[in-house]
Amino acid sequence: MVQWNPDGFKIGLCENAPLGRVNSLSMLVNSSAIHQCFDGMLGRFNQLWRAKAHAWHYTDNMGTDGVQELHDIVAELSEDYKQIEAMPFDFPSRREAVPL
C-alpha cells in the first residue's frame, strides 16, 4: 500500500444478510496492492497454525486438508496480484480515454 493510505480497502459485516444466510461480508478493493494484505494475513495465520492455536475451530469443520487448500488458494491469489502489479502499464492520454 502507498504510505499515505495504508488502509486502502474496506471490509464490513453487512447488517442485512442475503436470504437464507446468517451474515454477509462485503469487501471493496481497487488495487493490486491487496497482495500485501494477503501476505500479512498468511504470515499471521502461519504463526498461529504452527502453534496449533485455535486450529480446532477449522479442523473440526473442514479437516487439515481443507485448511491447507484454503491457505494455498490465498497464497496463489496473492502471487497473481503480484504478477499483475509487476506488469508495465501505460496510462492512456485524455484523448484515448473512453467516456463512461
Side-chain angles (χ1 to χ4, degrees):
M1 297 293 201
V2 291
Q3 282 183 312
W4 48 267
N5 190 12
D7 301 319
F9 62 97
K10 176 73 175 169
I11 299 175
L13 186 61
C14 300
E15 185 175 330
N16 298 318
L19 189 61
R21 302 288 182 184
V22 177
N23 51 32
S24 179
L25 184 72
S26 178
M27 182 172 177
L28 177 64
V29 178
N30 189 19
S31 175
S32 61
I34 191 70
H35 74 82
Q36 296 171 354
C37 296
F38 289 151
D39 289 346
M41 286 187 282
L42 286 172
R44 290 187 298 277
F45 171 81
N46 288 336
Q47 287 178 332
L48 291 171
W49 190 251
R50 278 192 296 273
K52 299 296 183 210
H54 310 287
W56 61 271
H57 284 289
Y58 308 102
T59 56
D60 284 357
N61 294 314
M62 66 179 79
T64 304
D65 291 341
V67 173
Q68 185 61 49
E69 181 180 356
L70 293 174
H71 176 278
D72 294 345
I73 289 170
V74 174
E76 185 177 333
L77 183 61
S78 178
E79 289 302 316
D80 289 345
Y81 275 112
K82 287 176 189 176
Q83 289 177 4
I84 291 169
E85 188 175 56
M87 289 178 177
F89 181 78
D90 293 326
F91 288 96
S93 69
R94 283 183 142 341
R95 291 182 187 171
E96 295 172 348
V98 178
L100 296 176

